[in-house]
Structure formats: structure tokens, C-alpha cells
Amino acid sequence: MLTTRSAMPQNQSGPARNRVAKGGRLAAALVALAALLPVAAQAKMPADFIGKWSTDPARCEQVNGEVDMLEVLPDGLTFYEIGCEFDEPTAGGKRLRIAAQCYKGGSPMTAGEVELSRSKPDRISVSLHGFFWTAETPEIFQRCHEQ
């Protein structure tokens, strides 16, 4: 008859063995929870906003003075010298207002709002509100052709 040995030390009493077993189950649950976190982060931004956008969709690259690039990520956005990290969007559909922490160049992160709106499937406008270093005028981008 074959017998198997437990992975737990044989010299531990019943309560100590239970603590080790519970600790193993807790660790497994934490690993499973951590695996779900990236999925939750991606759920912040609607998929139709995510991607690369350009003021000249035929040229999907930053060209200072000619073409501006915008990249919308699940949890933030970047465009020329500006980066933002999003909180949860406050509305759905074609217009989103999102509390954000943004910086420009070497400035510190500042709290404000980012507004994203879609007038057409391939067009997005971005305006930043509450940041001393930028005007609140929307800038319009088109989805890059490479997507």
C-alpha cells in the first residue's frame, strides 16, 4: 500500500497545522485577487476611447509644431509633455469627465479634471480643467490609421 506524506511538518500539533493550512489558503486567495487587479484597472476607461490619436491621422507620431499625439490608456493619458492618471470616470457614453492627477513637463502632479468626448467613432476631443499651465480649450484628435 502506498502512503503519501503531508507537506506540513510532522512535529506540529493540530492547531498549529490548521494555522499553516489557513495561511496557505490565504496566500492562494491573495495571489488570485492580485491576478484580477489588472483587469479591474482596464475597466476604468471605455474601450472605444483607448488607443492612439493624432491631429494628423496619416502621421501617427509626435512632430513638434506640426502633429500632436495623444495616447489614451485604461488608467490615464499622455500627449506632448503632459501625463495624467485617472480616477473613475463620472459619466458614460460619448462624454467623460474624469478626476485626474496631471503634470506638464517637470511640474508636480496637480489635481483637476480631464474631459474626453467623441463626436464620431474616429474623432476625440480632450480638454483639461483646473490646471494652471494649460487653457481649457478642447483639442481634437483623430484615431491613428495604424489601429
Side-chain angles (χ1 to χ4, degrees), residues 38-102:
V39 173
Q42 291 178 357
K44 287 184 178 182
M45 180 58 55
D48 57 338
F49 283 87
I50 295 174
K52 291 183 180 180
W53 305 82
S54 174
T55 54
D56 180 353
R59 298 176 69 188
C60 201
E61 60 186 330
Q62 181 69 40
V63 181
N64 295 343
E66 294 180 41
V67 180
D68 285 326
M69 286 293 308
L70 167 70
E71 184 171 11
V72 179
L73 305 165
D75 58 354
L77 62 78
T78 61
F79 61 106
Y80 186 68
E81 294 187 349
I82 295 174
C84 296
E85 296 174 1
F86 295 149
D87 292 333
E88 292 292 327
T90 57
K94 294 182 179 186
R95 172 171 269 141
L96 299 173
R97 283 191 72 100
I98 307 159
Q101 303 291 318
C102 300

Side-chain angles (χ1 to χ4, degrees), residues 25-42:
R25 286 191 298 266
L26 177 60
L30 290 174
V31 168
L33 179 61
L36 295 175
L37 289 177
V39 173
Q42 291 178 357

Side-chain angles (χ1 to χ4, degrees), residues 95-119:
R95 172 171 269 141
L96 299 173
R97 283 191 72 100
I98 307 159
Q101 303 291 318
C102 300
Y103 67 88
K104 179 174 180 159
S107 71
M109 294 293 264
T110 305
E113 283 190 332
V114 173
E115 185 174 329
L116 300 170
S117 62
R118 303 274 310 273
S119 58

